[in-house]
Amino acid sequence: MNDLTPDREDRVAKLKGLGCSRKRVEDARFTQGKGNYVDDIKLPGMLHGDFVRSPYAHARVVSIDASAALALDGVVAVLTAKDLEPLGLHWMPTLAGDKQMVLADGKVLFQGQEVAYVVARDRYVAADAVELVEVEYEELEVIVDPFKALQSDVVLREDIAGETSGAHGERRHPNHIFLWEEGDKSATEQVIDSADVVAEEMIYYHRTHPCPLETCGCVASMDKVNGKLTLYGTFQAPHVVRTVASLLSGIEEHNIRVVSPDIGGGFGNKVGVYPGYVCSIVASIVTGKPVKWVEDRMENLMATAFARDYWMKGRISATKDGKITALEAKVTADHGAFDACADPTKFPAGFFHICTGSYDIPVAYVGVDGVYTNKAPGGVAYRCSFRVTEAAYFIERMIELLAIELGMDAAELRRINFIREDQFPYQSALGWEYDSGDYHTAWDKALAAVDYDGLRAEQATRLEAFKRGETRKLMGIGLSFFTEIVGAGPVKNCDILGMGMFDSCEIRIHPTGSAIARLGTISQGQGHATTFAQILASEIGIPADSITIEEGDTDTAPYGLGTYGSRSTPVAGAATALAGRKIRAKAQMIAAYLLEVHDNDVEFDVDRFVVKGAPERFKTMAEIAYAAYNQAIPGVEPGLEAVSYYDPPNMTYPFGAYICVMDVDVDTGEVHIRQVYALDDCGTRINPMVIEGQVHGGLTEAYAIAMAQEIAYDDMGNCKTATLMDFFWPTAWETPHYTTDHTETPSPHHPIGAKGVGESPNVGGVPAFSNAVHDALRPLGLRQLHMPHDHWRIWKAANDLGLHG
Ligand code: CDP
């Protein structure tokens, strides 16, 4: 059976393992419309749920009259908080240690809040019935400004009005949630107060929304005969949903099956638990029929988890020659009506304290005040690892402002303050241990690639022409150098609702030499079915094309904490490699037996075990797999399977250098993006083509966020951007062209040296776009302009600078 023909290079190529730009295997079904999303699930006798939502941002619910709705043909039930109360389900715990109303209990706290849940024969009847439910409201004073919330006598959360402490410590006002601090406050103040040069600014990262293509939804199906609940849904963390569903419903966990089918984008929006899930489960238990709930676009934008909304007051100090000496960040975080942030439990401000960025800053302090307002709850990591995007934007703006104070080139200021290669592993002033990096090499490569000096010369020429009145367009060069922190755990300090943030992989090799691997994560478009098979191919010598990757079914997949925060590759990817190594260890014993040598006398070579010093004597992995099932091997159990639960020793710290060049028309506020260069370092690269796709997608989101995308409210708490007419979603038409590049600095603690990448372009892209706008108007006096930089705001900034005559 030995195959003597292919040479080593051919055998490596056949595996399509690490480093191969293997085409995405899942795309065949997506591009042919054969995906299977939640709304494609149709079960016999299925009912449909829909919500009555509050038109007011703050109001007392005086009465709810559902009689007209119940009289409509096809309406099965109308649930209100009163119906859920006996079950203890009218409120539910949030991921952030707070609680949230499932259905309005006495009052509503944001526009779009769920007030009643209608269950009907079909979606149309449900929608008609929603209109027939009569709710009487008594309007209350609305607070949409977090600074005013902390001064106001209006108490938003009456349920906890008297509580002076919450899940994250002391509350100093009824609308205050927590103050979370890190670093040395007095030492930081001392250094800044006596520094040569200080830059100080309020940087606002506006409220936005992940707005995935597919909205949130579920189908709950209670089989009363067997006592089994099946829940299909758009869940980024299916196992956690199973555990929460068990705790809330009292149904034993083995009797709950949670399935995440194909998911049309998540970006953090599908991590949390929403009232729609709870109401659908209750409705299915009560009616004994499957119940589907799928929200529409407006519901998704108005009521499901938003992102950002951080007011970041910063001070940064330096010596006269530009060496940074300290950084201070005092943040006011608008969490909306309930604290439903999706962060690891011990980190109520996520990983915001990565805000010293890529720089060697000796001392720093961060204080984050969480505040309640009359806005939708959430605060998810929209394609970012728990507030890292806010942190990266903050430090990259502060660096630009410091450069202005110093009269120094911002690229050079970055260079002289970067953490040096020989400082890794690097302990940051705010408590992180950066695993690896080579920032200077990446920065030099990026600046050379765009001809930075040439661009600055062109910009100066353009400015002169502008001053002479020969052009109305200014040129901006947006610099950004970011360090991400991805791959939560470790379990010792990262958990969600008490569940440690490990991840898992289980592999079964079939007798004929193909395999299936199941993981605790779930792809929402990232291409796991393609790339995790590549990790395994290199580890166990079975071609990626012969390995099925399966995720998202809690009845079959090992327990894992899911996919968000770019944690899949750092955590589940590591579990995959280690499970592969267990397979390989057993295969080595089998090979040695078959080749009649000692275990130590064979070595792994691409797709086989070879007798050391006798390369013509070998057994391929296919032969070994067959033997595992059909030969009695002394001292070795039959079969070839392995499982690994991986608790990462540290996070991984990918980094990158992004540069955006744009022309800004001061008369119209329009911008023309000339180039976007993105250099990413995510350690060992599994699939360069998938990485490039991830970077393109993330950059497009970054472009949208920086330039136009926002969730905006008026003073009455009306959400002004609840449709795609108002909420900017870039199409191919608006999306600029990208040039991608890379360096490769492996993570020393990850089994294959890989770091995450999915979120890097969102994290690093926003400051690049925003800094370009600032850089264009900087010579004319602009210091800080809040995002998004839409045409109107840029025009207004130019007008305020007196550029319109
Ligand atoms: O957790 P999530 O899947 O969102 O993010 P990720 O771990 O950064 O991975 C995104 C995609 O990029 C996956 O298909 C990864 O396997 C792939 N990737 C890669 O090819 N090489 C890396 N070093 C990191 C990620």
Side-chain angles (χ1 to χ4, degrees), residues 18-20 24 26 236 383 486 521-532 534-535 551 562-571 573 681-692 694 752-760:
L18 291 183
C20 168
R24 288 169 39 111
E26 46 276 85
Q236 288 183 237
R383 203 167 186 157
V486 298
T521 43
I522 173 72
S523 189
Q524 307 122 43
Q526 295 94 329
H528 293 177
T530 306
T531 54
F532 287 128
Q534 293 182 248
I535 297 178
E551 299 175 304
T563 293
Y564 42 85
S566 277
R567 65 184 299 280
S568 303
T569 303
V571 193
D681 192 317
C682 56
T684 305
R685 288 149 47 91
I686 301 163
N687 183 323
M689 185 197 68
V690 166
I691 291 172
E692 195 178 6
Q694 292 286 303
I752 61 165
K755 304 178 178 185
V757 74
E759 297 169 342
S760 296

Side-chain angles (χ1 to χ4, degrees), residues 70-389:
L70 284 165
L72 188 70
D73 182 35
V75 173
V76 178
V78 179
L79 300 178
T80 65
K82 281 206 176 66
D83 301 303
L84 299 181
E85 193 172 353
L87 307 168
L89 291 176
H90 55 319
W91 288 73
M92 63 180 182
T94 69
L95 295 179
D98 195 1
K99 56 185 177 160
Q100 175 177 352
M101 290 179 210
V102 174
L103 292 172
D105 183 23
K107 71 190 273 193
V108 286
L109 286 156
F110 65 95
Q111 189 184 50
Q113 186 177 334
E114 299 81 356
V115 174
Y117 186 68
V118 173
V119 185
R121 185 180 58 214
D122 62 43
R123 186 94 198 250
Y124 303 97
V125 175
D128 288 346
V130 162
E131 300 299 317
L132 294 174
V133 176
E134 284 185 23
V135 185
E136 192 188 333
Y137 298 95
E138 179 191 310
E139 284 185 72
L140 298 170
E141 188 179 329
V142 172
I143 305 179
V144 288
D145 177 337
F147 297 98
K148 286 189 186 150
L150 291 179
Q151 309 294 328
S152 175
D153 293 335
V154 177
V155 177
L156 301 184
R157 289 290 300 279
E158 289 164 3
D159 57 300
I160 51 168
E163 292 178 18
T164 51
S165 71
H168 306 291
E170 210 185 317
R171 299 172 65 219
R172 63 171 189 271
H173 183 279
N175 298 330
H176 185 236
I177 310 173
F178 60 78
L179 167 62
W180 189 76
E181 295 176 288
E182 193 64 68
D184 190 332
K185 188 170 188 231
S186 64
T188 304
E189 279 170 358
Q190 228 169 19
V191 174
I192 294 176
D193 290 344
S194 56
D196 291 343
V197 184
V198 178
E200 182 171 352
E201 194 55 76
M202 172 65 92
I203 317 260
Y204 179 47
Y205 199 138
H206 58 295
R207 181 175 272 237
T208 182
H209 195 283
C211 193
L213 187 57
E214 178 203 25
T215 59
C216 299
C218 72
V219 178
S221 180
M222 185 70 205
D223 171 352
K224 287 197 171 181
V225 176
N226 296 305
K228 296 245 178 208
L229 171 70
T230 305
L231 187 62
Y232 304 89
T234 49
F235 310 129
Q236 288 183 237
H239 280 99
V240 181
V241 170
R242 186 184 71 186
T243 302
V244 174
S246 173
L247 292 172
L248 288 179
S249 68
I251 301 171
E252 280 192 278
E253 205 165 344
H254 74 286
N255 278 329
I256 301 178
R257 178 180 172 213
V258 175
V259 182
S260 293
D262 286 329
I263 298 181
F267 314 114
N269 187 236
K270 294 167 179 171
V271 173
V273 174
Y274 294 123
Y277 307 154
V278 179
C279 291
S280 304
I281 293 171
V282 171
S284 181
I285 292 173
V286 171
T287 61
K289 297 202 168 143
V291 177
K292 178 187 277 186
W293 165 74
V294 176
E295 64 188 5
D296 64 24
R297 180 62 59 196
M298 285 182 74
E299 293 178 297
N300 180 255
L301 283 169
M302 283 172 82
T304 61
F306 73 94
R308 327 293 192 234
D309 217 346
Y310 257 35
W311 291 90
M312 304 173 286
K313 184 85 198 289
R315 289 200 298 160
I316 188 165
S317 62
T319 60
K320 284 196 189 77
D321 51 5
K323 195 83 191 83
I324 300 172
T325 52
L327 177 73
E328 180 188 80
K330 291 185 177 167
V331 179
T332 301
D334 186 340
H335 285 222
F338 308 99
D339 187 9
C341 283
D343 291 313
T345 308
K346 296 189 187 78
F347 298 93
F351 301 157
F352 182 78
H353 51 308
I354 190 78
C355 65
T356 51
S358 315
Y359 310 103
D360 184 16
I361 302 181
V363 62
Y365 166 77
V366 164
V368 181
D369 279 304
V371 182
Y372 292 122
T373 60
N374 290 122
K375 298 180 188 168
V380 292
Y382 169 8
R383 203 167 186 157
C384 108
S385 189
F386 313 118
R387 305 289 188 183
V388 177
T389 313

